[in-house]
Amino acid sequence: MILTVTMNPAYDMTYRLERLERGRAHRVLAVEQRLGGKGINVARVLSQLGTYACATGFADHTFAAAAAAEFPADFVPALPWVRRTVVISESRDGTATGLWEPGAYIHELHAVDRLRDRIEFLLPELKGLVVSGSLPGGVDETVPADLARAAVAAGIPTVCDVDGPALKVAATVPGIVLMPNQDELERLTGVVAERPEAVVSAAGALVDAGVRAVVATLGAAGIVAVTSDGAWSASLPEPLAGNPTGAGDAASAAVIRALATGDPDWPTLLTDAVATSAAAVVIPVAGEIDMTLRDRLTPTIRVTALDMPTPEPRP
């Protein structure tokens, strides 16, 4: 089983319009709502790929019950309410505009301990752990790193897709796999990472410090992976238009799925991650992929080996 942790879930709302114009009222063509959050999106994609996944994290009682009724889930009901994320999808060209509400504040003193207990109980059964998404108020930035550290110590492949101070702390966990996007990697390292070579330079220092791998998602430019064994870039021949919300989560699903099988072949892993991510872009809602498109895109993915920085001689 692969366990995903979502500490700040959301009701994902998708409004479909012909065209979005600022300053005027619009008639919405269709509305879709589903339970969401980055870890939940990962679990949904894993399920599509035929891998058993369970979701946990924080929620309110209504969200926790709805999640358990829809897919394998065991959330700690510690949130007073669950936020919404709204995507406005324009049918004319597939442009998507996102509006993310802030999360609620957790006042329960032992909420984090209850979540840790759930995860520690499941550790013997796990083949992989994914900790992703933002943190609600009242949860310390060290919690994702603490959860990851416990899983890595138990020999469980662990992916962390968080941002800000939580990402900085997670980067200190030896053996962890980080999955930042370009902006997150730049904020973490202070290196402008517009090109794959710059990503290697930025991520190389993290790997040298003990991180197992940095898998940087670069949107239409593809994905770059940096490990102690090498670095690779993978991309589509041509970018796809659509809704990028959830594309990074689909990539996380492909990555943890490969890591759960043992020591992966990284070019093969990247090929699958790019194809799976792209197959999410064409779906209007997050947490779902077009399996047929994924299979069709896989043979077209271009993977390039990148040079690792030469270590500076020590004095």
Side-chain angles (χ1 to χ4, degrees):
M1 177 175 69
I2 292 175
L3 183 67
T4 70
V5 181
T6 307
M7 284 179 263
N8 198 15
Y11 291 101
D12 286 344
M13 308 289 298
T14 301
Y15 293 161
R16 298 191 185 185
L17 309 175
E18 177 64 30
R19 179 178 179 179
L20 176 65
E21 297 181 30
R22 293 180 59 193
R24 63 175 293 263
H26 297 78
R27 290 195 178 275
V28 178
L29 302 177
V31 179
E32 295 182 27
Q33 175 178 299
R34 68 189 324 189
L35 308 181
K38 290 182 71 62
I40 290 174
N41 294 339
V42 173
R44 289 184 189 276
V45 174
L46 283 169
S47 179
Q48 272 195 272
L49 295 173
T51 299
Y52 182 71
C54 181
T56 189
F58 298 122
D60 61 10
H61 287 280
T62 301
F63 191 101
E70 184 180 344
F71 47 81
D74 183 19
F75 280 83
V76 176
L79 289 172
W81 49 268
V82 172
R83 67 194 177 113
R84 292 171 297 178
T85 61
V86 178
V87 172
I88 301 171
S89 179
E90 300 179 54
S91 59
R92 60 169 184 153
D93 60 3
T95 298
T97 302
L99 303 171
W100 308 150
E101 292 183 0
Y105 193 98
I106 292 181
H107 295 279
E108 184 181 334
L109 292 177
H110 302 293
V112 172
D113 292 333
R114 292 169 62 194
L115 179 60
R116 283 198 185 102
D117 289 344
R118 273 169 165 76
I119 295 173
E120 289 179 3
F121 178 78
L122 292 172
L123 282 180
E125 303 176 35
L126 298 186
K127 295 294 185 181
L129 177 71
V130 178
V131 183
S132 55
S134 59
L135 303 180
V139 176
D140 194 83
E141 61 202 29
T142 62
V143 172
D146 291 342
L147 299 177
R149 187 174 287 106
V152 171
I156 298 167
T158 302
V159 168
C160 202
D161 179 9
V162 294
D163 190 15
L167 176 59
K168 186 175 183 179
V169 180
T172 66
V173 178
I176 198 172
V177 175
L178 302 178
M179 287 199 63
N181 60 30
Q182 179 183 331
D183 290 341
E184 292 163 350
L185 182 62
E186 290 180 350
R187 287 193 292 268
L188 175 62
T189 64
V191 176
V192 177
E194 294 180 348
R195 298 176 57 82
E197 295 78 9
V199 174
V200 174
S201 177
L206 300 173
V207 173
D208 290 342
V211 168
R212 178 179 179 183
V214 176
V215 183
T217 54
L218 308 178
I223 299 176
V224 173
V226 182
T227 75
S228 59
D229 295 325
W232 302 267
S233 172
S235 61
L236 291 170
E238 297 290 338
L240 294 177
N243 177 16
T245 306
D249 302 328
S252 293
V255 170
I256 194 61
R257 184 168 177 259
L259 292 172
T261 63
D263 193 15
D265 175 74
W266 282 94
T268 302
L269 180 154
L270 278 181
T271 297
D272 187 41
V274 171
T276 305
S277 178
V281 171
V282 299
I283 303 294
V285 295
E288 189 173 335
I289 61 173
D290 184 326
M291 292 290 289
T292 300
L293 178 62
R294 173 177 173 268
D295 293 341
R296 182 166 61 83
L297 290 176
T298 297
T300 72
I301 307 299
R302 301 176 298 189
V303 180
T304 304
L306 302 172
D307 293 331
M308 294 288 287
T310 302
E312 295 183 6
R314 294 183 179 182

